[in-house]
Amino acid sequence: MATLWSTLAAALLSALLLGDGLGVNLLIVAVPAALAAFFAARAADRRLRPWTAVWAIGALALLLVPALSDASWPTFLAVVAALAAGSLALHGGRTWPGMVFGSVGILDSLVTGPAWGWRGLRERADGSRGRWGPVVRTVAVAAGLLVVFGALFAGADAAFADLLGELIPDVSLVDGPWRFFLFLLALAGTLAAARTAAAPLRWDRLARSSGKARGRVEWALPLIVLNLLFAAFIAVQLAVLFGGYDKVLSETGLSYAEYARQGFWQLLWATLLTLIVIGLALRWAPRDGARDRSLVRAVLGTLCVLTLVVVASALRRMDLYVDAYGLTRLRISVAAMELWLGLVIVLIIAAGLLGSRWLPRAVAGSAAAAVLVFGLASPDALIAERNVQRYERTGKIDVDYLRDLSADAVPALDRLREPLRSCVLRTVQDDFAMTDSPWYATSWAEVRARSILEERPADTDRAGCPRSELYGDERDEYDGDAEFDIPVGPDGMDGTDDTDGYDPGTGMD
């Protein structure tokens, strides 16, 4: 019965809250869903294991991202990662198949879960027909009293009416089908979680065949050649670092920005392919004795260390890239991915020294932690901060790109001088004017941004915006972002001399 009531609570909260958007409500809905899974597991005599608690707490922590951030893309990543972590909490798992299939295993129960719940409900109803009547009557009477007296008190006091209006969702017949769909979706999802918690599939028991071991020369020689290639590349990178970029650019004919852009993407792919090579090499590694194990550790350990240097070089290229073009969502995303790949390389090195039984869980946990840190770091705020700093230093800024950032970027963009500040914040202010989300569908970043714009509203006069010109003829072929050059004048910001407090070009004080 505890599982049943928790499931109904999750479904009702989903129908009432999620229809208005995302925010704190995802976490509110997730709590009764998690309780339903907990009660189902306890009824099936499953014990709470440490890693189960780690995955469950991680899933709930990931749902803090939509409560704190207004940007949709980190929220999407956090929700997907939370579903994967929650599925791992229900299934358990220690091996690579357990991690891979366990992270999506809950999808298998979306059909069997509701059927399992319906059978359980029928059995309960057949065994306790005489007790359902009092329960229904009690709930009906309580609901009637709340509606009647709540309406009377709301009519008697405006402050109490406002409080009820903020706390109670505004449900209309127009969005009834959408809310009914959310009810069914949460009902099926919660029952799937409870069904999985009661009887999970053991993906760790999947039979795995080890690859046929190769001879030492056949296995090691290609990897040694690859190590030499990595070493040669790193030697060139060190020569560039100590010899300076000017000599390299003059010899290659590339611009500073082209050199930065050219290298990062190739190095990112090199890192990904190296992980694949390591996985295949371990599958076919010789394993006849201690000498073979030493050979594997020496060759693959060297490759991992050299790959870490490649990761550092790729991140350095990205730093040059950002200096040349500015920070964007794509660039910060791939840089974060490169950092995580470097962490995976470090975990592989540690597994070679300490043993690898813990490696699948560590890699999956590091992925979930990386998504959590990425969301909590507020990428849109970092993008705005970096581009504002770059504008203060160089006078170059992409006004159109900054307009598309979410409310997370408002505190950093608020530092810009007028009229540029109003130009980049006007879109967010217009969005706020057209939407009035309830408290449970509002993120902390949106609350903070509203407070800033209420204190200092953006000017709605579009004629006051500085006219941007394309900076040179450079355009980022990967993002499609154009760079703009807003002239920097004696005041250091908007190209006007502010000594008399008046800008004759815009008519703004």
Side-chain angles (χ1 to χ4, degrees), residues 38 135 146 227 266 275 309 334 379 399 407 416 431 509:
F38 171 76
V135 172
L146 286 175
N227 284 340
Q266 288 86 341
L275 289 175
V309 181
V334 294
V399 178
L416 293 171
D431 291 341
D509 190 356

Side-chain angles (χ1 to χ4, degrees), residues 284-340:
W284 294 320
R287 39 184 177 267
D288 289 336
R291 293 182 62 185
D292 286 336
R293 289 194 295 270
S294 298
L295 176 65
V296 171
R297 288 178 178 175
V299 174
L300 293 184
T302 302
L303 181 59
C304 288
V305 172
L306 294 174
T307 305
L308 285 178
V309 181
V310 172
V311 169
S313 178
L315 292 174
R316 173 57 180 160
R317 295 291 184 99
M318 176 54 71
D319 188 52
L320 298 176
Y321 198 5
V322 171
D323 281 341
Y325 285 109
L327 189 60
T328 65
R329 288 170 173 171
L330 177 62
R331 293 162 199 165
I332 196 173
S333 299
V334 294
M337 181 180 178
E338 183 74 13
L339 278 172
W340 176 70

Side-chain angles (χ1 to χ4, degrees), residues 219 272-285 300 303 348:
W219 178 87
L272 288 169
L273 291 175
T274 301
L275 289 175
I276 297 175
V277 169
I278 292 172
L280 295 176
L282 288 173
R283 180 177 176 82
W284 294 320
L300 293 184
L303 181 59
I348 292 174

Side-chain angles (χ1 to χ4, degrees), residues 68-132:
L68 299 176
S69 175
D70 182 58
S72 58
W73 54 300
T75 294
F76 173 77
L77 291 175
V79 171
V80 172
L83 291 174
S87 184
L88 287 173
L90 299 172
H91 286 89
R94 301 184 305 274
T95 63
W96 289 111
M99 293 294 103
V100 174
F101 295 109
S103 63
V104 295
I106 194 173
L107 300 177
D108 178 70
S109 299
L110 286 177
V111 176
T112 59
W116 169 81
W118 176 248
R119 288 197 305 270
L121 183 62
R122 288 183 59 185
E123 292 172 2
R124 287 285 179 180
D126 293 340
S128 57
R129 290 183 181 275
R131 288 183 292 177
W132 282 100

